[in-house]
Amino acid sequence: MASSRAGSRAGGPRRLVGAVVAATAVAALGACSLVGADDGGDAGDDGADDGAASGDGGGTVVLVTHDSFALPDELVAAFEEETGYTLETRAPGDGGALVNQLILTKDAPLGDAVYGIDTTFATRAIAEGVLEPYQAADAVADYAVDDTGSLTAVDMGDVCINVDHEWFAERGIAEPATLEDLTDPAYRDLLVVTNPATSSPGLAFLLATVGAFGEDGWLDYWTALRDNGLKVASGWSDAYYVDFSGPSSEGDRPLVLSYASSPPYEVPEGATDAPTGALLDTCFRQVEYAGVLAGAANPEGARAVVDWLLSPEVQAAIPENMYMYPVTDVELPASWAQFAPLATEPFHVEPDAISANRDAWIEQWTDAVVG
């Protein structure tokens, strides 16, 4: 659905509040956590000790997440009943902030397990030694970051430019389809994206342009976007709700950086057509991972959490609660099959290249695009 919630990475469509999103779901998304204390305070200290002492179920297991983790209460209750653990979550921020905090606290870990490390930061987390090697037995090999076995893929989504179909139809203007189209003067002042330094969807889109134009051409592409009236927002919420012209939004720009899973949440109940859509030739695939934190007080509980996140029940709940695609073969909501197809050929950058160049690319982008 990755950290764009209020200037983060993966918030993307996880925070969409269209006509079909229930108020309870929105409340869960904004709350950062479903169970336990999630304010980064000391509420879990005793529980973590209890979990470490138990060793065989029971006590507290602390899951550190980005701030859009949300699963139904009944799934959490079932996990607790089946394992004997009490699940507590802590959310230090978006996906980028999450990894930064894990690195800063690796000598005194914030919890036992982590969920929400995404493609753009996975290699950094591994290199910094914040993870203990562990993968769920059913981990999907196609999404492995490397051969250390430190992360298990849980969900994924395509970061893509979204288009307001109604805006273009009303004006009789053909919609863009490709990255190259976005630099056409016909689309001047129509696009808003998020800053890759403050938003993981923004970073994912930067990587899409690296994958599309190569290391020698991506910066020229961004210069062309800038010269064509590109607007840059700090986070997904501002871009989508303030600048975008879609039904849930208040702005006047009909092209916005979001996710392929955004359009279903703009469809009025009973409607057969989506007012927005994703441009599937502009996408970068973002995978979110879970793992066991090195030095965890309750490593057994952490492994149980990682396994649980890949269970059929959790995987089936991901689309309508965290607005990402499950990585296992579970049935998608009908609206997703109709309105949220994945890109057939998303742009790709090798994890090692991301790790080696991420900071330099962001610095170069900043100098060229926002100064």
Side-chain angles (χ1 to χ4, degrees):
M1 108 204 27
S3 322
S4 168
R5 336 144 216 254
S8 65
R9 151 208 82 72
R14 295 159 219 217
R15 298 184 58 169
L16 284 172
V17 284
V20 298
V21 180
T24 52
V26 176
L29 296 178
C32 302
S33 175
L34 294 175
V35 292
D38 62 352
D39 59 1
D42 298 325
D45 291 349
D46 293 339
D49 292 338
D50 291 344
S54 71
D56 56 357
T60 295
V61 57
V62 179
L63 174 63
V64 187
T65 82
H66 56 51
D67 57 10
S68 287
F69 177 78
L71 286 173
D73 291 338
E74 57 266 27
L75 285 184
V76 176
F79 168 80
E80 294 180 331
E81 182 176 355
E82 292 169 7
T83 65
Y85 295 112
T86 298
L87 180 64
E88 176 185 310
T89 63
R90 294 177 178 174
D94 61 43
L98 169 64
V99 173
N100 288 337
Q101 286 300 307
L102 294 179
I103 293 169
L104 291 172
T105 61
K106 65 182 179 180
D107 293 330
L110 295 173
D112 304 302
V114 59
Y115 158 76
I117 296 174
D118 83 331
T119 308
T120 61
F121 288 101
T123 52
R124 184 181 179 198
I126 293 170
E128 291 286 348
V130 304
L131 299 161
E132 171 188 301
Y134 179 76
Q135 282 189 328
D138 297 327
V140 181
D142 289 348
Y143 297 121
V145 177
D146 59 14
D147 58 4
T148 65
S150 298
L151 289 168
T152 294
V154 173
D155 56 49
M156 54 92 173
D158 284 344
V159 176
C160 316
I161 299 300
N162 277 212
V163 57
D164 180 354
H165 293 313
E166 295 179 344
W167 189 97
F168 283 96
E170 288 172 359
R171 290 159 178 81
I173 300 174
E175 296 178 1
T178 67
L179 291 174
E180 291 85 350
D181 287 346
L182 299 175
T183 65
D184 190 309
Y187 306 112
R188 181 178 298 278
D189 298 331
L190 301 187
L191 173 64
V192 57
V193 301
T194 51
N195 190 322
T198 57
S199 157
S200 78
L203 179 53
F205 187 60
L206 186 156
L207 295 176
T209 65
V210 173
F213 302 107
E215 294 191 38
D216 294 330
W218 71 270
L219 200 56
D220 289 338
Y221 174 75
W222 278 98
T223 301
L225 284 182
R226 180 200 65 195
D227 293 344
N228 205 37
L230 175 72
K231 183 171 184 177
V232 178
S234 62
W236 178 86
S237 294
D238 285 342
Y240 200 93
Y241 291 127
V242 177
D243 296 310
F244 186 42
S245 62
S248 294
S249 312
E250 301 176 352
D252 57 5
R253 292 193 173 228
L255 298 168
V256 65
L257 180 64
S258 194
Y259 282 76
S261 53
S262 301
Y265 300 95
E266 296 287 5
V267 181
E269 186 173 358
T272 57
D273 295 314
T276 67
L279 303 183
L280 297 182
D281 290 330
T282 67
C283 304
F284 183 87
R285 186 148 298 165
Q286 187 180 48
V287 182
E288 292 188 314
Y289 297 90
V292 177
L293 291 175
N298 190 351
E300 296 87 354
R303 289 189 280 271
V305 169
V306 174
D307 292 344
W308 172 65
L309 289 172
L310 213 59
S311 68
E313 295 79 12
V314 171
Q315 288 285 293
I318 283 172
E320 292 187 325
N321 289 274
M322 294 194 282
Y323 311 112
M324 295 289 276
Y325 299 80
V327 295
T328 62
D329 187 17
V330 297
E331 186 176 358
L332 291 171
S335 61
W336 282 49
Q338 184 175 3
F339 301 121
L342 286 165
T344 56
E345 296 183 10
F347 294 108
H348 177 75
V349 179
E350 290 296 330
D352 288 346
I354 297 174
S355 181
N357 297 288
R358 180 194 306 107
D359 293 344
W361 286 340
I362 291 174
E363 183 176 355
Q364 291 168 359
W365 180 95
T366 301
D367 290 342
V369 179
V370 296

